[in-house]
Amino acid sequence: MPVPPPAPAAPLTLSGTYFDGRSSQPWPATLETGPGGRATLTLAGPGPSPEPAAPLHWPAAALRAEPALPGLRRVIRLPGGGRFETGDEAGVRALEARTRQNRVLGGVRRLEGSWALTLGATAALGLFVWGFLTFGLPALARSTAAVTPVAVLETFDRESVRLLDTDDFLAPSRLSAARQAQLRREFARVSAWAGGGYRYRLLLRDGEPAHAPFALGANAFALPGGTVVMTDQLVALARSDRELMGVLAHETGHVTRRHGLASVYQGLGLALLGTAVTGDLVGAATFAAAVPSTLLQNGYSRRAETEADERAGAYLLRAYGTTRPLRDILARLEAQDRAGEGGPEPQDSASPGDLLRTHPGTAQRLAHLREIENAAR
Amino acid sequence: MSLPTDPAPVSLGKDPPDAAPDANTANGPVAAQVQVFPAHFSGQAGEYFRLWLVNLALSVVTLGLYLPWARVRNRQYLYGHTWVDGHNFEYAANPWALLRGYLLVGVFFGAYSAATQLQFSGWEWVAGPVALIFVLAYPWLVRQSLRFLARSTVHRGLSFGFGGSLGGAYMAYGVANVAAGVSFGLALPLAWYAQRDYQVRGLRYGAATGRFRGGPGGLYLIGLTALGLTVGGGLIVGVLSTLGAVLLRSGQTAPFGDEFGDILEQPGVLAGIVATYLGFLVLYMVGWQYVRAATLRYVLNHFELGGVVRARATFSTARLVWIGVSNAAAQLVSLGLLTPWATVRRARYVAAHTQVLSLVDLGTFVAGPAAPAGALGEAATELLDINLGF
């Protein structure tokens, strides 16, 4: 935009009402802005004293025009606490242009004035919200998760395990001590490969205790700090330990890519946004309280699953030369799940782990694992 | 807990500039020349909707950073369209100060919610102090809030002010609330009274100070009426739902299943439970809207300023309750889109049935000593506004 020359503008005269800021008495007055950038206020009639009041002078730049509001007279704040009200919208606009005030809020006022612009703004808003929730917030959450110190992750693990154990989601494993030790030894190889400075540990638990609010069933999931939980039911479902190691490698993929923390941040971000927009802390607090359970029940995005599968595929190829073990157990899990849905005890909502999070995607996941294997040949 | 009424209960407005100075009204303080200035709200639902929506959109797009400006503009519209004696009110808060307040609040709330949600080691040492500070400082924050709100309200070029003492705030918002709590609500109307009295007595317009002519009795009457409404309504809802259950059971051909799940699968039963729940929800709304409307009416009718100005409310409490309840229903059904319409509808009704009675010309008020109000007070306002926002 070209800088306007110091305008030798024509004098601008507004007529309206003056308040001196010290009493509630209105005075009819005129406010004149001369060519020299000098503003003069003159009372139209007699002032408080019988003799005519002397005109008041300020530099025009010291006048503060209040932003326009629909249906209301314009207000100009004067130095010293006085104010001048006028119905001369065009005049005040000229003054605003001359002193370069309210450019942003003047634009807001234009938006507010038209139905078409208002509805356009609403559509833009909807588009923005959609875009932010779909791309912006996840990206923000991922990058925040990436820079979170490991100490925070470990606290998160500790609290989550405490919650899972005290709320009866999980019971102590029924596997023999020898079997548990064997699985841990094998997991140590996986976790050594996964690396990243996390304190990995494998927790074996019974996923179907008697009083559980819902049964986890055959499942495995990773907490952000490196704690991986695997249920006895999954161990029973596996036909070989290779399959189990495929699953565990998948879980270490969630850990190293920090998917768990990212989804927590995503939930917190939603709550924060809700607060900012509605100004309602209570609603946001309620929402925030639901974050841990959201994490449990919604699991990860398909993108996160793909990333974790790629890590698992890399491990399996390196250890066994094939991605087949993970494909086998995934296919068996889905078959079991499908049978379960038709059976007497539906368990769809009862599966909060992440292994089969993206139901319709299992076929693609199997295909992708096969691709990984083919690519390695 | 306290039920804050509209924080600016004195935002009366009025229009025709040619208010006759003839004294034909009773109810005045003395049998002198009482002028009556009816209030008037000139906002339009469609116009306000556009303003509200545009500002909401800008708040969202800026991730909340524009929120102070949105808030100020909304209030400026509502204040600016409220008229008394040909002059409108003005909301003159500084959005930059509000933004500072939001950021301060954001830091505190963020620390608190992160501490309680993530429970990292030592989280009690973050959440505890924040909660303690809030509880201990609550009355002080209320006072800062009232100061800021009053100072931001302007009429006829003269700003309102609030001169309530800090001790008074701790009595009205600390001691009285605790008393209401430990007395199982018996002292609740007393706390309402103490709070309204504190609000009105602290009010200044120029050098003129407010006075509350009401007493605790009036608020006890409101509390008892609300209790009666709720209990009576609760009985009706209870009887109706029992009747419904009995009718449903007699219509049952097969005997009831033994399992609870079977009962719930009857569509009528589920509908009955939902209807009962809705009944109690509406009842709660009516009770709370009644307290709000009746208190507003009571405060307006017992308000006095500088010994020369009084207010008079002629609106019907029942009608205002209806407006409140139907507004809430409309907002719920429209997912909040009818909020501007609801706001304008209520403001218009209240203003149209409110008058200002004055013994003197309204142009004769002069400024008093200006009390300073710093940015921290403005921050506190927002903190409270968020927490008390209804």
Side-chain angles (χ1 to χ4, degrees):
Chain A
M1 209 160 74
V3 180
L12 181 67
T13 306
L14 307 168
S15 55
T17 311
Y18 168 65
F19 291 96
D20 63 6
R22 289 181 297 278
S23 89
S24 58
Q25 182 64 49
W27 306 101
T30 57
L31 184 64
E32 194 174 332
T33 313
R38 191 172 148 88
T40 307
L41 182 96
T42 319
L43 295 196
S49 48
E51 65 268 21
L56 297 166
H57 302 286
W58 305 279
L63 307 185
R64 288 275 160 272
E66 288 285 302
L69 282 157
L72 291 173
R73 291 177 300 205
R74 298 299 302 267
V75 173
I76 294 168
R77 273 184 205 292
L78 305 169
R83 65 194 251 129
F84 180 81
E85 289 183 3
T86 176
D88 187 351
E89 173 68 33
V92 177
R93 259 194 217 159
L95 180 71
E96 280 178 325
R98 204 174 284 185
T99 55
R100 279 183 245 151
Q101 294 183 41
N102 298 325
R103 279 183 291 186
V104 174
L105 285 169
V108 171
R109 172 70 193 88
R110 275 191 288 285
L111 279 176
E112 290 163 357
S114 137
W115 277 105
L117 287 174
T118 305
L119 297 177
T122 314
L125 166 69
L127 207 67
F128 177 85
V129 168
W130 173 81
F132 184 77
L133 295 184
T134 320
F135 305 111
L137 195 56
L140 216 62
R142 273 199 302 277
S143 39
T144 317
V147 299
T148 304
V150 176
V152 174
L153 306 181
E154 283 169 2
T155 313
F156 197 91
D157 278 26
R158 198 172 56 239
E159 294 305 322
S160 304
V161 170
R162 192 177 56 82
L163 179 92
L164 287 167
D165 282 340
T166 51
D167 284 4
D168 295 332
F169 286 101
L170 300 168
S173 171
R174 298 172 193 214
L175 299 174
S176 71
R179 176 74 173 126
Q180 292 195 27
Q182 182 196 2
L183 287 169
R184 288 212 181 83
R185 271 196 306 278
E186 292 181 54
F187 176 66
R189 282 202 289 277
V190 179
S191 58
W193 166 82
Y198 300 91
R199 205 177 292 166
Y200 289 101
R201 59 176 177 155
L202 176 63
L203 296 183
L204 292 156
R205 292 285 189 271
D206 177 8
E208 289 174 1
H211 300 291
F214 51 77
L216 286 155
N219 224 319
F221 53 92
L223 300 173
T227 306
V228 177
V229 182
M230 184 160 69
T231 65
D232 294 356
Q233 286 73 21
L234 189 71
V235 177
L237 186 76
R239 297 211 174 124
S240 77
D241 283 4
R242 289 181 170 204
E243 294 185 354
L244 293 177
M245 291 312 122
V247 169
L248 292 180
H250 171 99
E251 297 306 333
T252 61
H254 284 317
V255 174
T256 52
R257 296 305 187 96
R258 303 208 165 178
H259 294 145
L261 201 65
S263 73
V264 171
Y265 284 149
Q266 209 167 318
L268 279 177
L270 272 181
L272 221 61
L273 196 67
T275 306
V277 171
T278 63
D280 177 14
L281 287 192
V282 182
T286 322
F287 185 87
V291 166
S293 61
T294 315
L295 172 62
L296 262 185
Q297 308 227 15
N298 288 351
Y300 305 119
S301 68
R302 188 176 294 195
R303 170 183 170 153
E305 292 305 327
T306 309
E307 285 182 4
D309 278 349
E310 277 164 5
R311 293 296 293 158
Y315 177 76
L316 290 172
L317 280 174
R318 182 180 163 279
Y320 315 119
T322 171
T323 61
R324 187 172 175 131
L326 184 56
R327 280 187 271 137
D328 285 351
I329 195 164
L330 280 178
R332 210 171 306 128
L333 263 169
E334 181 164 72
Q336 186 205 43
D337 210 55
R338 233 183 244 147
E341 268 169 23
E345 269 182 62
Q347 60 170 86
D348 47 355
S349 65
S351 157
D354 71 299
L355 274 182
L356 278 186
R357 180 58 46 221
T358 47
H359 254 235
T362 306
Q364 282 106 300
R365 288 177 63 188
L366 296 179
H368 188 54
L369 284 167
R370 220 171 282 126
E371 275 168 29
I372 292 173
E373 186 170 329
N374 293 338
R377 283 209 176 109
Chain B
M1 269 280 89
S2 66
L3 296 173
T5 53
D6 190 332
V10 284
S11 302
L12 327 160
K14 110 106 211 195
D15 190 23
D18 52 351
D22 52 350
N24 50 7
T25 327
N27 227 11
V30 221
Q33 298 274 302
V34 178
Q35 303 178 56
V36 181
F37 304 104
H40 166 63
F41 183 79
S42 58
Q44 306 285 328
E47 196 174 65
Y48 183 51
F49 175 80
R50 294 197 300 263
L51 182 139
W52 177 85
L53 196 63
V54 165
N55 285 282
L56 177 71
L58 288 172
S59 301
V60 172
V61 169
T62 56
L63 302 184
L65 280 182
Y66 177 80
L67 200 62
W69 282 265
R71 230 180 148 79
V72 166
R73 269 190 93 68
N74 278 318
R75 283 208 178 160
Q76 278 177 338
Y77 184 86
L78 297 174
Y79 279 49
H81 280 280
T82 307
W83 301 80
V84 172
D85 189 24
H87 293 279
N88 54 352
F89 284 81
E90 193 201 349
Y91 183 64
N94 177 4
W96 285 104
L98 290 190
L99 182 63
R100 280 200 299 278
Y102 271 120
L103 294 179
L104 195 74
V105 172
V107 168
F108 269 93
F109 174 68
Y112 181 79
S113 63
T116 48
Q117 291 305 314
L118 299 178
Q119 308 213 330
F120 46 80
S121 59
W123 68 276
E124 304 91 341
W125 292 102
V126 176
V130 171
L132 194 70
I133 287 173
F134 179 71
V135 168
L136 289 183
Y138 177 77
W140 176 79
L141 292 170
V142 171
R143 175 163 165 266
Q144 297 300 91
S145 176
L146 290 170
R147 271 191 185 181
F148 180 58
L149 203 73
R151 254 176 50 100
S152 307
T153 307
V154 178
H155 190 237
R156 304 174 70 114
L158 206 54
S159 156
F160 282 82
F162 185 78
S165 71
L166 190 58
Y170 273 88
M171 279 306 287
Y173 288 91
V175 175
N177 274 344
V178 170
V182 297
S183 65
F184 303 104
L186 280 180
L188 186 61
L190 201 63
W192 292 344
Y193 166 72
Q195 289 158 10
R196 297 297 91 77
D197 184 53
Y198 177 72
Q199 286 181 359
V200 173
R201 256 189 311 117
L203 194 75
R204 307 278 183 272
Y205 179 58
T209 63
R211 194 164 80 84
F212 190 42
R213 295 180 296 115
L219 288 148
Y220 266 98
L221 201 64
I222 292 172
L224 284 177
T225 314
L227 190 69
L229 270 175
T230 320
V231 170
L235 281 178
I236 293 174
V237 172
V239 166
L240 283 181
S241 66
T242 315
L243 263 177
V246 169
L247 282 177
L248 212 80
R249 185 160 203 166
S250 64
Q252 196 87 11
T253 46
F256 254 142
D258 304 87
E259 283 178 57
F260 192 57
D262 288 349
I263 303 177
L264 279 179
E265 272 165 32
Q266 303 286 335
V269 174
L270 202 62
I273 290 174
V274 169
T276 309
Y277 177 74
L278 281 180
F280 280 110
L281 205 67
V282 168
L283 206 60
Y284 170 78
M285 281 267 329
V286 168
W288 142 232
Q289 289 288 348
Y290 171 77
V291 170
R292 192 177 172 211
T295 308
L296 179 63
R297 193 184 148 91
Y298 187 76
V299 169
L300 284 175
N301 279 329
H302 294 83
F303 167 78
E304 198 176 285
L305 187 67
V308 289
V309 171
R310 284 187 180 181
R312 188 173 61 191
T314 50
F315 52 77
S316 136
T317 308
R319 175 116 181 99
L320 200 53
V321 169
W322 160 246
I323 289 177
V325 173
S326 55
N327 272 356
Q331 285 171 263
L332 194 71
V333 168
S334 67
L335 302 178
L337 279 180
L338 281 178
T339 303
W341 170 81
T343 309
V344 166
R345 179 177 174 228
R346 185 173 194 275
R348 182 171 287 177
Y349 180 72
V350 170
H353 296 85
T354 302
Q355 297 96 41
V356 173
L357 317 173
S358 181
L359 281 174
V360 297
D361 191 276
L362 291 184
T364 58
F365 288 88
V366 289
L376 198 57
E378 293 164 353
T381 310
E382 280 312 289
L383 178 65
L384 285 167
D385 263 348
I386 290 174
N387 279 282
L388 302 180
F390 278 89

